[in-house]
Amino acid sequence: MAKSHPKGLIILALSNMGERFGYYTMLAILTLYMQAKFGFSSAETSMIYGTFLALVYFLPVLGGLVADKWLGYGKTVLIGICIMFFGYLVLGLDLGNEAMGISVMFLSLLLISAGTGLFKGNLQALVGKLYDDPRYSKNRDIAFSIFYMFINIGAFFAPSMGNAITNSILSKEGYYYDAAVPGNYVRLNDATVDPAEFTAAVAQDTHNWSELTADEQAEKITKAKKSKGVMFPAEEAQVLFNLKLAGLHQLTYAGKIAPNDPMAITEQDYAIMASRAPEDAARQAEIRERVANVEVPASLLPAGGTGDFARDFGQHYVATTLSKSYSLAFFVACISLIISILIFTLFRSTWKYADVTAKQAAAKAAQAGVEVETMSKEEERQRLIALGLVFMVVIFFWMSFHQNGLTMTFFARDYTMSKVPSSGYIPFSLLMLIPFICFMYGIYLSLFGLLGSKKNPVTGVILIVVGILGLVGGYFVDIKPIGDALRNITPQIFQQFNPFFIILLTPVTVGLFTYLNRKGKEPSAPRKIGIGMLLAALGFVVLLVGSIGLPDPSTLEGTSNVLVSPYWLISTYFVLTLAELFLSPMGLSFVSKVAPPKYSGLMQGGWLAATAVGNLLVGVMGSFWDKLSLVAFWGVLIGCCLLSAVFIFSVMKKLEAVTEG
């Protein structure tokens, strides 16, 4: 690999990896943060999220102009990292949830998007410049696949970091993550909503804490801590909060409501409340009144509250504890950017020679009296048209794909099981996933070679053994202690599966393309993009099938009463990752190869601008989340991907002619 690629590739990839780790740590929790701290609705959150992503991916157009015309790529990248750092720093500050807090949040998002605009496209342009060298030019596609894999190594660890911080902060207060609490708290503070009308079925893992002996309580606490938290004492308050908002009460307290007390809520009463049948309206009103009169034990009321259990608990859980965990995760992004700055500047010598814009090259040539060969206006026009056609297609890919941070996160929160047994937790454990990657890389290296390198059975066997030992250790450290308990999973953790599959499958796609290239059958970059669009449609077909029979988002009051297996989302991420591997790194390579030299930075910015339009449409599409059925929502995304595939295959000859030229 060292002979096939310049040293600068790894340095630039590592710089990007650190920045992407911080970015995706922030992105994994951004929608949850906005709703938990500020109480934004799904539609408001969708528009803010979509607008932010649009800026993140549109501003590289301006960043490309700045680099091409004035500063060059290296200086522009460095300035961008510094601006992003201050953006994450400001985002982590807790300035309340009123006008000041909201204004500061918007300012921080603007700084992050502006810094990304200077950083992202120009770093990619630098990678492309490295492969203008004839010694490396034939490995351009593989280089961008490797570069893209490093992006996703950073993204892979990001959700777990956010997840670990959230769970750690919550557990210090005796809580565990419950998706129903933030949603119910938002609705509780909505003056137009009557809390007694909520019917969320959230009575899972309830227990009568007050009736346990001291030894039994201690045993439950110990078990909870070993399994990373399902049964803390404050869990009773947490479940009670959700049930009171639902108009239900299934917990019993000594001297308050005994199991045989005529005031107790029965399973039949619960069914009546959940069905909301009109003929049972009088019975429902009676049950609501009964629950409203339940006296909450003082031990479950947060200190310093008003005495209103629902509001005090919700304020303490959501606005204080959960929001604090999100703020700390934003500071993690600051640390990762410092690491990126150090890598980028300390190893500047590996990429400095490629940091030459067309304008700078022309000036040097003029001083040396050398005539520079320029591209004709007609060829420039044809290349720009071809790039424009590809940009049109990727708009709809990113509109669909980036639902992962928005509506797919809503699906994870509202429709997916948030508690899994020990066997079901294996895909969510980093201590299992990391050694599995190691094991698979050992297989790749032993049998086929890895990322363009030759087979190395000895190193491959070492990786296989290390992987197996890691899997065994991970099982005994992170899986076996769960025992019969259930482990909680947070919505943001699902976002680790896309980068996990990128890391796992990049050697497979690189090996496939290398093999086809040797046979003279490798698809062109535009054809790979078309195949990627077809695979994206298939990914949402998986999610559509998993959504059949689920209630519409507009009918939810809390989380769904019907929850599906996490494997529906995991399977969707697997197929969407295959689509991304065919489309995104190939698109970067295509832009790098086809862009006229004097527009290198601008065209990398153009690729990201197309991504920006797609991300803006993410928010537009997300605003229909609670207006369409789930099947209809995923169906729209499937249709957009299929139409885009049809379009790119219809102009394939034009695109391939420019590529070959």
Side-chain angles (χ1 to χ4, degrees):
M1 180 175 170
K3 295 181 179 179
S4 304
H5 299 276
K7 294 179 181 178
L9 171 65
I10 299 301
I11 298 305
L12 297 179
L14 287 171
S15 302
N16 203 34
M17 183 179 75
E19 183 274 333
R20 291 288 89 181
F21 172 77
Y23 175 77
Y24 283 110
T25 298
M26 177 273 296
L27 203 63
I29 61 174
L30 181 59
T31 56
L32 302 171
Y33 164 77
M34 288 191 289
Q35 290 193 324
K37 185 165 187 175
F38 303 113
F40 293 142
S41 67
S42 295
E44 291 169 335
T45 303
S46 296
M47 291 310 298
I48 296 170
Y49 181 85
T51 302
F52 168 66
L53 287 186
L55 286 173
V56 163
Y57 287 96
F58 176 77
L59 290 178
V61 174
L62 300 180
L65 279 173
V66 169
D68 285 337
K69 299 292 184 181
W70 297 291
L71 297 180
Y73 304 115
K75 290 181 181 177
T76 310
V77 165
L78 194 57
I79 292 171
I81 297 178
C82 294
I83 293 175
M84 280 188 284
F85 174 85
F86 287 108
Y88 289 121
L89 189 65
V90 172
L91 189 60
L93 300 177
D94 186 4
L95 299 176
N97 57 2
E98 302 299 331
M100 173 62 75
I102 294 174
S103 299
V104 169
M105 181 198 72
F106 284 134
L107 173 62
S108 64
L109 294 180
L110 183 61
L111 288 172
I112 293 169
S113 56
T116 306
L118 295 172
F119 172 86
K120 191 171 176 61
N122 290 310
L123 194 73
Q124 292 170 184
L126 265 178
V127 175
K129 290 290 184 181
L130 291 175
Y131 287 83
D132 286 345
D133 188 328
R135 291 178 298 169
Y136 308 122
S137 59
K138 66 178 181 179
N139 295 315
R140 187 184 298 266
D141 280 6
I142 293 176
F144 274 99
S145 291
I146 295 171
F147 180 77
Y148 203 74
M149 186 182 73
F150 272 80
I151 291 175
N152 284 278
I153 291 174
F156 170 57
F157 289 100
S160 293
M161 176 60 73
N163 185 62
I165 292 173
T166 295
N167 286 336
S168 174
I169 298 300
L170 286 175
S171 66
K172 286 180 181 178
E173 298 294 332
Y175 301 142
Y176 68 88
Y177 183 82
D178 184 342
V181 177
N184 281 337
Y185 179 61
V186 168
R187 283 182 282 278
L188 176 64
N189 290 320
D190 186 344
T192 66
V193 176
D194 178 5
E197 292 297 323
F198 294 154
T199 59
V202 293
Q204 299 182 42
D205 294 327
T206 60
H207 59 278
N208 188 358
W209 188 263
S210 60
E211 293 183 355
L212 299 177
T213 66
D215 289 341
E216 289 172 331
Q217 290 179 355
E219 182 182 353
K220 280 187 174 289
I221 292 173
T222 301
K223 183 178 180 181
K225 289 181 176 178
K226 283 184 178 179
S227 63
K228 296 195 168 70
V230 231
M231 295 288 246
F232 290 105
E235 178 185 347
E236 190 169 15
Q238 195 165 324
V239 176
L240 177 60
F241 171 75
N242 287 314
L243 294 180
K244 280 185 72 66
L245 290 180
L248 304 169
H249 182 61
Q250 295 185 338
L251 299 175
T252 61
Y253 297 94
K256 304 301 177 185
I257 297 181
N260 297 323
D261 194 303
M263 289 285 286
I265 300 297
T266 66
E267 290 187 14
Q268 183 182 7
D269 292 334
Y270 183 85
I272 290 173
M273 291 298 293
S275 70
R276 311 185 77 183
E279 61 268 23
D280 292 324
R283 180 70 170 143
Q284 291 173 6
E286 177 191 337
I287 296 170
R288 284 196 297 271
E289 182 177 359
R290 193 188 311 166
V291 173
N293 292 327
V294 171
E295 182 179 348
V296 180
S299 62
L300 295 181
L301 290 172
T306 63
D308 181 335
F309 167 75
R311 294 188 187 280
D312 287 348
F313 178 80
Q315 171 74 20
H316 187 255
Y317 183 99
V318 179
T320 304
T321 309
L322 192 59
S323 293
K324 179 183 177 181
S325 75
Y326 293 153
S327 295
L328 288 176
F330 298 142
F331 290 134
V332 169
C334 295
I335 297 172
S336 70
L337 282 176
I338 293 174
I339 295 173
S340 285
I341 291 173
L342 291 175
I343 293 172
F344 188 72
T345 54
L346 292 177
F347 297 93
R348 181 171 175 265
S349 60
T350 63
W351 53 263
K352 175 59 181 173
Y353 70 91
D355 185 14
V356 180
T357 66
K359 183 177 180 180
Q360 292 169 339
K364 288 182 179 179
Q367 290 178 349
V370 178
E371 185 177 348
V372 179
E373 183 179 347
T374 58
M375 189 175 291
S376 69
K377 294 291 184 181
E378 178 59 23
E379 186 177 356
E380 282 185 358
R381 186 183 70 84
Q382 290 178 354
R383 291 187 174 215
L384 293 175
I385 290 174
L387 289 168
L389 293 173
V390 170
F391 293 164
M392 288 174 59
V393 171
V394 300
I395 285 174
F396 294 100
F397 174 77
W398 294 120
M399 180 197 76
S400 304
F401 182 84
H402 277 149
Q403 296 296 329
N404 59 359
L406 189 64
T407 57
M408 289 172 69
T409 297
F410 294 160
F411 188 88
R413 180 190 65 192
D414 299 337
Y415 292 96
T416 304
M417 295 175 184
S418 62
K419 297 174 184 289
V420 294
S422 56
S423 59
Y425 189 70
I426 290 175
F428 298 94
S429 168
L430 280 182
L431 294 183
M432 298 299 289
L433 295 182
I434 293 173
F436 182 71
I437 291 173
C438 187
F439 172 79
M440 291 304 298
Y441 269 50
I443 297 291
Y444 299 153
L445 194 57
S446 298
L447 300 180
F448 311 110
L450 190 63
L451 300 174
S453 65
K454 295 181 179 180
K455 288 192 293 185
N456 189 333
V458 175
T459 305
V461 169
I462 293 173
L463 286 175
I464 291 171
V465 172
V466 170
I468 292 174
L469 293 175
L471 287 169
V472 173
Y475 174 79
F476 282 100
V477 171
D478 208 29
I479 305 300
K480 193 174 185 297
I482 298 174
D484 296 330
L486 297 176
R487 180 77 67 87
N488 294 284
I489 53 175
T490 56
Q492 64 261 34
I493 196 66
F494 283 92
Q495 293 188 52
Q496 77 178 12
F497 289 109
N498 171 239
F500 167 70
F501 288 133
I502 290 279
I503 297 168
L504 196 64
L505 297 176
T506 292
V508 177
T509 55
V510 168
L512 174 64
F513 296 148
T514 301
Y515 172 78
L516 292 175
N517 181 270
R518 289 172 184 160
K519 298 290 185 179
K521 297 179 180 180
E522 183 183 7
S524 64
R527 196 167 294 274
K528 292 173 186 173
I529 292 172
I531 295 171
M533 294 306 302
L534 293 174
L535 289 170
L538 180 60
F540 286 105
V541 168
V542 173
L543 199 50
L544 183 150
V545 173
S547 300
I548 294 174
L550 296 179
D552 297 344
S554 61
T555 66
L556 291 186
E557 293 174 333
T559 53
S560 171
N561 291 336
V562 182
L563 300 176
V564 301
S565 166
Y567 286 100
W568 285 107
L569 269 175
I570 294 173
S571 299
T572 299
Y573 275 114
F574 176 80
V575 181
L576 288 179
T577 299
L578 281 176
E580 186 182 7
L581 284 170
F582 270 81
L583 188 144
S584 193
M586 297 307 107
L588 295 176
S589 178
F590 178 77
V591 174
S592 171
K593 182 177 182 179
V594 174
K598 66 180 180 180
Y599 298 127
S600 293
L602 180 61
M603 287 300 100
Q604 288 290 349
W607 167 267
L608 296 171
T611 310
V613 176
N615 287 328
L616 185 61
L617 293 177
V618 167
V620 174
M621 189 67 202
S623 66
F624 290 96
W625 175 248
D626 52 7
K627 297 178 178 63
L628 298 173
S629 69
L630 287 175
V631 170
F633 188 89
W634 306 129
V636 171
L637 297 176
I638 292 168
C640 289
C641 292
L642 289 176
L643 288 174
S644 298
V646 170
F647 173 77
I648 195 168
F649 280 113
S650 71
V651 296
M652 189 61 64
K653 289 184 178 180
K654 182 185 291 289
L655 297 177
E656 289 182 335
V658 174
T659 307
E660 292 168 2

